[in-house]
Amino acid sequence: MARAEVAPFVRHDGTGWRVCDEGASLLGAVHEPVVVIAIAGLYRTGKSFLLNCIIGATGATPALPVGSTSESCTRGIDVCVTPTRLANGARLVLLDTEGLASMEQDEAYDAQVFALALLLSSYFVLNSMGVLDEAAIDRLYLISELSKHVCVRTDTAGAMRPAGVDGAEPNGADGAAAEADLAQFFPPLLLVLRDFVVELVSDGHAISADEYMDKALQPRPTSARRADERNRVRAAIRTLFPRRACVTLVRPAADENAVRHAASLPLSELREEFVHGMRHIQTLLLGPLGGGATGGGEDGGNGGSGNGPTAGAGSAGGAPIKSLFGQALTGAHLARLAQQYARALNTEGVVPSIRGAWEYVVADACREAKDAALRAHGARLARALDGEEPDGERGARLTEPTELLLAVAQPSGVAARATFRRAAIAGADADLTLAQLEADLLEADARAAASLTDRSRELCDAAADRLCGALEATLGEAAATAGAPPPLSLIHISEPTRRT
């Protein structure tokens, strides 16, 4: 892949969510671990432009489509598979989401796009404009709603119900517990404050962007207007994203016209402060060229929780590899995961279950791995059967096909098991599917052996007919020379013998 490739990934067709074939095929070709960076934020705030800057695809040929009008440029979720391999060996994948709070969509639609981007990413970028004030907190309300739209596992009855359903309070004890449960599966958060013009100062002292964010996320006095609602948003961010960081960016250009067309300008024509800020974001997300993070921990989705408000967010040398339950995901796994989440969103009364979706991905990957292994084994057996078929001149070697089958089937079975182990996801499902594969391999060998036996019998019959015919002709000639009557047909005499 010479340059980044972009395709529609998840769309809503008016009746429900679907994973687009173009995006699924693009990801399906990536059979290596992936780092998945997703971006979300208000519509028409330069999210696609930011992603293009991160991968250096600015100027006349951006990777992701951008626009300068009031209409949303991205619909649903687009996927961008880059040629970049990070220091941790993973392929870089970007998810560009449709802007929130547009006049074309409602809050339920926005919440589902937001949840999908979070569930599929290994690093989540939240694009916001200006300072982190009360109005900005209001715009982040979707974060406090996440426990209504995502769950970790099914309940005892088997249904995937979020907090806030069947009497559970989404913002009470049940909601807090659900958020704490989700936190271990959520990616690190990078809050990008765009067009930021104020100085970062607190009590007369300069503070970092992380400290600024942490201060803004502290609870406000309950006497303040809408304090309870806003404090729930703050608490949700602190709980769901223990690994978080904040960066600020100035306007990309000073001239208003240049700002509107910043996406088409090379970095050399953008403000130096903006370019410097983008370099910092690149380091946080992609890491230095010489090193990088290796991905998540075994007990959660994308690594363990940090020990402070910003611990782990970009501090390990870049975004982690996307993983679930200790298993690194490939592009093909990511496409399957999206399909399962989309199915859940399309089912009334059901929300995506992280564990349920993962179990589906594991089972599907194991099934496909078994099918691929069996196809390869069958093809090897077929080639052996076709390539070693005896002919009329080799009648003396009729015992060799069965021996040949044994010689081919054994190494072919070893290769089939290796094919399965490479493609399957390790675990109990893989062990069970491998046992099924073993039985299917034996069955395939038996069918091939039976086919060889039938073919060998047919060849033996044909060879015997030729020999008997030749002997009959010789005896007939001898009898004619001696004036004796012709002998009985040896072919008819030998027929019952050959069939017993």
Side-chain angles (χ1 to χ4, degrees):
M1 181 186 295
R3 66 187 303 272
E5 295 185 35
V6 180
F9 185 29
V10 182
R11 292 288 187 272
H12 197 286
D13 60 10
T15 61
W17 294 99
R18 62 180 180 87
V19 173
C20 303
D21 292 340
E22 305 96 314
S25 297
L26 190 59
L27 283 172
V30 181
H31 298 288
E32 56 198 313
V34 290
V35 163
V36 186
I37 297 174
I39 191 168
L42 296 179
Y43 85 112
R44 306 309 302 133
T45 54
K47 298 182 300 299
S48 303
F49 170 55
L50 186 64
L51 288 180
N52 282 326
C53 288
I54 289 170
I55 61 173
T58 56
T61 56
L64 291 151
V66 294
S68 58
T69 69
S70 60
E71 296 181 339
S72 295
C73 191
T74 305
R75 301 293 180 180
I77 301 176
D78 288 341
V79 61
C80 174
V81 176
T82 76
T84 303
R85 283 180 173 80
L86 302 178
N88 54 19
R91 180 76 71 86
L92 177 62
V93 172
L94 306 177
L95 297 181
D96 191 15
T97 66
E98 183 173 351
L100 306 173
S102 73
M103 292 181 289
E104 302 172 29
Q105 308 297 349
D106 57 21
E107 291 183 0
Y109 180 96
D110 287 351
Q112 290 178 335
V113 170
F114 197 85
L116 276 173
L118 269 172
L119 289 169
L120 296 172
S121 63
S122 61
Y123 212 120
F124 190 70
V125 179
L126 189 55
N127 191 63
S128 184
M129 302 298 290
V131 297
L132 196 53
D133 55 12
E134 295 301 294
I137 295 296
D138 287 340
R139 292 193 293 269
L140 299 179
Y141 77 95
L142 280 178
I143 295 178
S144 66
E145 302 285 299
L146 282 171
S147 61
K148 296 180 182 179
H149 299 281
V150 183
C151 67
V152 172
R153 60 185 62 83
T154 57
D155 62 17
T156 55
M160 294 181 286
R161 294 191 178 94
V165 176
D166 295 339
E169 288 295 331
N171 297 305
D174 291 332
E179 289 175 352
D181 208 14
L182 286 171
Q184 62 180 321
F185 293 91
F186 275 12
L189 169 69
L190 178 62
L191 178 62
V192 180
L193 301 178
R194 304 282 294 275
D195 296 359
F196 197 82
V197 296
V198 302
E199 294 184 14
L200 294 176
V201 175
S202 178
D203 298 327
H205 301 283
I207 58 174
S208 67
D210 287 349
E211 291 170 328
Y212 171 73
M213 172 182 62
D214 184 45
K215 185 174 182 180
L217 294 179
Q218 295 307 306
R220 292 296 185 266
T222 56
S223 58
R225 177 175 172 270
R226 297 176 58 195
D228 289 342
E229 178 183 344
R230 289 166 175 166
N231 283 342
R232 281 196 297 268
V233 174
R234 292 182 169 94
I237 297 173
R238 295 196 306 270
T239 302
L240 291 169
F241 301 102
R243 296 166 294 156
R244 56 185 181 269
C246 179
V247 296
T248 63
L249 284 176
V250 299
R251 286 164 66 86
D255 180 71
E256 206 55 49
N257 185 60
V259 170
R260 282 195 295 271
H261 299 90
S264 61
L265 298 177
L267 288 179
S268 59
E269 295 186 27
L270 300 179
R271 291 177 65 185
E272 184 178 349
E273 299 91 336
F274 178 84
V275 175
H276 177 76
M278 282 305 313
R279 300 296 187 205
H280 178 52
I281 292 175
Q282 285 179 318
T283 301
L284 282 174
L285 298 178
L286 308 184
L289 294 179
T294 58
E298 295 183 357
D299 57 345
N302 298 296
S305 297
N307 296 318
T310 61
S315 60
I321 291 173
K322 175 63 179 177
S323 62
L324 277 175
F325 301 99
Q327 174 69 45
L329 270 65
T330 66
H333 295 155
L334 192 71
R336 291 194 187 101
L337 195 63
Q339 288 168 344
Q340 184 62 8
Y341 286 146
R343 289 191 187 102
L345 289 174
N346 293 336
T347 305
E348 186 176 356
V350 172
V351 297
S353 160
I354 295 173
R355 183 176 292 277
W358 177 241
E359 289 173 352
Y360 163 84
V361 170
V362 170
D364 195 48
C366 290
R367 177 186 56 78
E368 287 195 4
K370 178 174 78 74
D371 292 346
L374 278 175
R375 284 194 301 270
H377 183 67
R380 294 187 193 99
L381 293 180
R383 287 195 299 270
L385 290 175
D386 293 341
E388 295 295 330
E389 179 177 337
D391 56 26
E393 300 298 319
R394 298 169 61 185
R397 301 175 61 188
L398 291 179
T399 59
E400 291 188 7
T402 301
E403 297 169 359
L404 175 67
L405 174 65
L406 294 175
V408 171
Q410 184 174 3
S412 178
V414 171
R417 294 179 190 94
T419 297
F420 173 81
R421 291 190 179 96
R422 281 195 302 270
I425 298 175
D429 284 85
D431 295 339
L432 289 173
T433 310
L434 180 58
Q436 295 171 3
L437 174 63
E438 297 285 0
D440 291 343
L441 290 174
L442 289 175
E443 185 178 341
D445 294 346
R447 287 196 302 269
S451 176
L452 271 176
T453 300
D454 292 341
R455 183 179 301 181
S456 179
R457 182 181 292 112
E458 292 172 359
L459 291 170
C460 286
D461 289 350
D465 287 345
R466 287 194 302 273
L467 290 173
C468 289
L471 181 57
E472 181 181 345
T474 301
L475 292 175
E477 291 174 0
T481 301
L488 294 174
S489 173
L490 293 175
I491 294 179
H492 295 302
I493 292 174
S494 64
E495 186 74 20
T497 303
R498 288 188 283 121
R499 295 305 178 202
T500 59

